[in-house]
Amino acid sequence: MGLGELVSGKTNIEWAEKVWNPTIGCTRVSPGCAHCYAFDVHDKRHKGYKDALARGEKPKLPPQYAKPFKDFQFFGGRLQDPMHWRKPARIFVNSMSDVFHERMTIEFWSAMVTTMTLCPQHQFLILTKRADRMMDFCQQAPPPPNAWMGVTVENQKAADERIPYLLKTPAAVRWLSVEPMLERIKVDFGDKADAGVLIKWVVCGGESGPKSRSFNIEWARDLRDQCQAAGSAFFMKQLGAKPMEDVGAPEFGFNGFAGLQLEDRKGGKMDEWPEDLRIREYPQ
């Protein structure tokens, strides 16, 4: 991950082409936050920033690293960055924070809404674990049609708590990021007779990184099947660092799982996956 990705610019995230980070920083709120890559990357660079100052040197890193990741920071100078990107792009908003963190203000969110409205050529993909605040902010300052509003759900508890708020959030596209997927999850797609399915896109992925938790690929298959039944697009992002496959044989008294051996350490190489999971759809 390069410095540009931590500010605004290109990204290696499979479902996005650019990132836009008008805020930086976050605090952990649930099990899905336990091994947050943003925390680790930022605080390593924060240490480097402080070490440079201690040596009497001018830090080579951007000033955002003067503070630890737990300090939520606003960068108003970045609000207009997408206006300079002429080529249409899918933009992940705040890859290095949670848009609806407790320190976010309605004034700053409204400024972000203005930028997104003035950039109809882009699609802005927003995720939060603070679904109640997202619903409240979006009711006060509704996002434009090119803003896709989503929540992260890592387990059933998170799904049951966050999805109801998502279904009440005004948005042209509602979506889920089921990553890291920590258990089998049953999704309420909010199917309405007059509006069709309300959650139009689901991204699925196992956890990556040195402390990754196991990911049973049967959970992904079940989620894929739910999406197909509901008419929601399904995007398999990665199998993670510890994908497991059901190798149980109950008829012989054996139940268990075996780890899949993959070359890609985050399980993101599609040709290493089972063929039935090689699906990367986007909502129409």
Side-chain angles (χ1 to χ4, degrees), residues 6 22 35 96 106 116 132 141 270:
L6 301 183
H35 304 148
M96 296 301 291
I106 188 63
M116 293 186 286
D132 54 340
M270 289 184 70

Side-chain angles (χ1 to χ4, degrees), residues 234-246:
F234 178 77
F235 189 104
M236 191 70 220
K237 179 177 178 283
Q238 64 185 41
L239 298 188
K242 293 184 179 179
M244 307 294 288
E245 188 170 28
D246 190 346

Side-chain angles (χ1 to χ4, degrees), residues 197-225:
V197 64
L198 297 185
I199 294 178
K200 299 187 181 299
W201 191 36
V202 176
V203 174
C204 178
E207 190 169 44
S208 59
K211 300 179 182 179
S212 297
R213 290 160 282 188
S214 297
F215 171 65
N216 184 349
I217 64 173
E218 290 302 322
W219 302 341
R221 288 190 170 110
D222 181 66
L223 186 59
R224 173 205 62 196
D225 293 346

Side-chain angles (χ1 to χ4, degrees), residues 24-53:
I24 295 286
C26 200
T27 46
R28 293 181 170 93
V29 294
S30 70
C33 304
H35 304 148
C36 176
Y37 75 94
F39 252 104
D40 293 342
V41 170
H42 184 99
D43 281 354
K44 284 179 182 178
R45 292 180 174 174
H46 170 59
K47 181 179 183 303
Y49 194 99
K50 291 195 303 180
D51 289 347
L53 290 177

Side-chain angles (χ1 to χ4, degrees), residues 110-154:
S110 297
M112 292 173 64
V113 167
T114 296
T115 292
M116 293 186 286
T117 302
L118 293 173
C119 297
Q121 74 274 26
H122 300 315
Q123 294 166 335
F124 293 90
L125 283 57
I126 296 173
L127 280 175
T128 186
K129 290 184 176 70
R130 296 160 171 85
D132 54 340
R133 288 178 57 80
M134 177 179 70
M135 180 191 73
D136 180 52
F137 274 53
C138 290
Q139 288 176 349
Q140 294 183 63
N146 59 327
W148 299 6
M149 309 304 298
V151 296
T152 300
V153 292
E154 65 269 29

Side-chain angles (χ1 to χ4, degrees), residues 251-253:
E251 66 271 26
F252 299 109

Side-chain angles (χ1 to χ4, degrees), residues 165-219:
Y165 290 110
L166 174 63
L167 296 176
K168 297 176 183 177
T169 298
V173 174
R174 298 176 187 84
W175 65 294
L176 303 178
S177 174
V178 187
E179 184 191 11
M181 192 178 196
L182 302 180
E183 65 182 21
R184 190 183 301 271
I185 296 174
K186 177 67 175 177
V187 172
D188 176 7
F189 289 87
D191 192 10
K192 303 295 182 183
D194 57 341
V197 64
L198 297 185
I199 294 178
K200 299 187 181 299
W201 191 36
V202 176
V203 174
C204 178
E207 190 169 44
S208 59
K211 300 179 182 179
S212 297
R213 290 160 282 188
S214 297
F215 171 65
N216 184 349
I217 64 173
E218 290 302 322
W219 302 341

